[in-house]
Amino acid sequence: MPTADTRFSVLSEDFAADPYRYFAGLRERAPVLHEPAIDSYFLSRHRDVRRVLTDHAAFSTAPLQVRAEPVMRGPVLAQMTGAEHTAKRKIVVRSFSGRALQDQVRAVRANAAELLAPFLPLGRVDLVNDLGRPLAVRVTLDVLGLDRRDRELVAGWHAGVAEFITSITLTPERRRHCLDSAEQLEAYLRPVIQERRRRPGDDLISQLCGAEYDGVALTDREVTALVLNVLVAATEPADKTLALLFKHLIDHPEQLAAVRREPALLAAAIAETLRYTPPVQLIPRRAEQDVAFAGTTVPAGATVFCLIGAANRDPEAFAAPDTFDLHRPDLGAARSFTAAAQHLAFGAGLHQCVGAAFAKAEIETVAAMLLPLLDQVRHSPGTRYRESGLYTRGPVALPLEFTPVPGGLPPS
Ligand code: 2IO
């Protein structure tokens, strides 16, 4: 159990194996845990995490300069402030709403149908490795308007970039590999961006190329960073969220039955999945001044990590927080994908996830397709459930069995 004297560490193997076992102890006995090995503070209470994410004067996103910028090849949205942030965020929001979002949903449907087809007659599918992960990559490529034939290449480079962002520590060899991936991705994008400037399509890269800030078009460096930002942010959490949603529903058959009867409940099931097991578990900030939390002062300049999974299970914010319940009244399901969300899976404040509406649409679309196709869905016998990741976290695999339905996929 985490107390100051037992030197409990969130960097330990025990914590990595199942962080959820330790969250209550952290919130109660070490709500501001200092990790000497990386000289960072870990916050676990809902109130404290919300404060860090919404007090923009006291906490900045400066850690992204070292955690993200080297592989993003330029500043991501979350690093920007003031008028520049407002303007560029608006550009990205526009690319994920209205008609653009409708096109994206069509891309989700088409890609999911294609990936699922071979598994439907077999009555088995691994929701992470057969469906979720390849789907996340394909949908993101379509949104960006990148060539589908390059998906293996892009997926490989993406993995390197994502590893850099989501690692707590990296060996020099891995670091080199990640930076190489980023450089190759940048080189791959350079001619694409030039081409879109000349002949724009209706994809996100073209929209970024056509956008202006202060009357001036975004530079290649700015477009590249935002493209990489979207590539990682749209890909990394998607397969995790999809698989976690189905795991929780299968483990709570009465809630699975409810969602089957009433697919409109899917949005609440996705929101509760994000609360109960957020795919992004850590959000870093830097304290810009000394800040006092219950009994502990975080000094100016310190790196702070918000433990989103712990905050989302704080009994001060949610009744019976360790229970998965899509009907819970304190979820505020209707607000769960907006700035008024009570859970913190999308962060909070000015930098709250810009892709929340896209994420909801993507997962809702795939889940609504899957439910009627996966009749009597169950875990494959003899498999051991395992999750991995400290920064982003999700199932390593989710092998399922089901009874094939006659007809299978309807024509899209
Ligand atoms: C991409 C961590 C997958 C974001 C990040 C460098 C910035 C920012 C996030 C999420 C999810 C990723 N941080 N998305 O936590 O854009």
Side-chain angles (χ1 to χ4, degrees):
M1 272 297 119
T3 60
D5 44 289
T6 55
R7 290 173 179 276
F8 173 82
S9 172
V10 295
L11 308 176
S12 65
E13 275 175 35
D14 286 346
F15 184 79
D18 184 5
Y20 294 97
R21 284 179 51 203
Y22 299 96
F23 286 157
L26 283 170
R27 281 189 311 262
E28 285 158 23
R29 293 192 289 282
V32 187
L33 182 79
H34 183 246
E35 280 295 347
I38 53 170
D39 192 14
S40 302
Y41 294 79
F42 286 76
L43 299 187
S44 46
R45 290 185 180 167
H46 190 276
R47 191 194 313 144
D48 295 344
V49 168
R50 186 187 284 287
R51 176 177 168 201
V52 167
L53 296 175
T54 54
D55 185 344
H56 302 285
F59 295 94
S60 76
T61 60
L64 293 178
Q65 272 165 33
V66 286
R67 292 209 62 89
E69 202 170 324
V71 285
M72 293 280 139
R73 319 308 288 163
V76 297
L77 214 46
Q79 285 174 267
M80 299 172 194
T81 55
E84 183 196 12
H85 175 255
T86 309
K88 292 186 179 166
R89 183 174 166 105
K90 214 173 272 168
I91 295 167
V92 178
V93 167
R94 215 185 302 135
S95 308
F96 282 109
S97 44
R99 204 174 56 81
L101 185 60
Q102 283 169 29
D103 290 345
Q104 288 153 8
V105 166
R106 261 190 292 279
V108 170
R109 238 183 245 123
N111 282 298
E114 196 180 313
L115 285 164
L116 269 173
F119 295 96
L120 293 179
L122 303 178
R124 59 166 178 77
V125 66
D126 174 349
L127 226 47
V128 175
N129 299 292
D130 296 333
L131 181 65
R133 203 164 302 143
L135 179 69
V137 174
R138 287 177 191 217
V139 169
T140 308
L141 285 183
D142 284 355
V143 168
L144 293 170
L146 296 175
D147 196 325
R148 294 176 182 187
R149 286 168 299 188
D150 299 330
R151 63 181 166 233
E152 303 301 327
L153 272 174
V154 176
W157 295 326
H158 161 267
V161 169
E163 180 182 342
F164 186 94
I165 292 171
T166 63
S167 294
I168 303 298
T169 52
L170 275 175
T171 64
E173 291 74 29
R174 292 316 293 170
R175 192 183 157 80
R176 191 60 254 157
H177 167 80
C178 295
L179 292 170
D180 276 351
S181 302
E183 277 161 31
Q184 296 191 56
L185 200 40
E186 184 183 22
Y188 169 82
L189 287 173
R190 202 170 293 129
V192 177
I193 292 170
Q194 275 156 16
E195 170 67 14
R196 298 295 153 82
R197 286 199 193 279
R198 277 196 299 273
R199 277 188 294 154
D202 48 15
D203 54 273
L204 193 137
I205 296 183
S206 298
Q207 281 158 30
L208 293 175
C209 288
E212 288 186 356
Y213 170 61
D214 243 0
V216 185
L218 303 189
T219 63
D220 282 3
R221 181 174 129 95
E222 291 172 311
V223 172
T224 302
L226 289 180
V227 169
L228 292 186
N229 189 175
V230 169
L231 177 68
V232 177
T235 308
E236 259 297 290
D239 62 297
K240 298 168 178 69
T241 308
L242 179 70
L244 290 163
L245 167 69
F246 273 83
K247 171 173 165 49
H248 301 327
L249 289 176
I250 291 166
D251 292 348
H252 299 84
E254 70 300 336
Q255 296 186 53
L256 176 59
V259 174
R260 283 191 189 282
R261 272 195 310 274
E262 203 180 334
L265 287 174
L266 262 179
I270 297 166
E272 175 66 346
T273 297
L274 291 171
R275 181 198 70 84
Y276 190 63
T277 49
V280 178
Q281 292 268 327
L282 294 176
I283 299 183
R285 288 292 186 263
R286 184 176 76 192
E288 297 301 326
Q289 57 200 50
D290 290 359
V291 189
F293 293 95
T296 312
T297 296
V298 171
T303 299
V304 169
F305 282 99
C306 298
L307 286 163
I308 304 301
N312 275 356
R313 291 182 181 219
D314 190 332
E316 290 204 7
F318 298 100
D322 294 319
T323 304
F324 178 87
D325 177 11
L326 68 89
H327 302 290
R328 63 168 54 250
D330 51 11
L331 181 61
R335 286 174 284 122
S336 289
F337 300 89
T338 73
Q342 172 71 350
H343 70 80
L344 298 170
F346 292 124
L350 288 174
H351 298 295
Q352 194 191 33
C353 179
V354 68
F358 169 76
K360 172 178 184 271
E362 180 177 32
I363 304 301
E364 209 174 10
T365 300
V366 190
M369 285 175 75
L370 284 171
L371 284 175
L373 293 170
L374 307 186
D375 189 23
Q376 316 223 320
V377 64
R378 59 224 175 240
H379 293 290
S380 292
T383 54
R384 205 174 71 84
Y385 178 76
R386 204 164 65 79
E387 294 182 356
S388 75
L390 276 184
Y391 201 108
T392 53
R393 183 175 185 86
V396 172
L398 194 71
L400 302 178
E401 289 185 3
F402 55 93
T403 307
V405 293
L409 274 163
S412 56

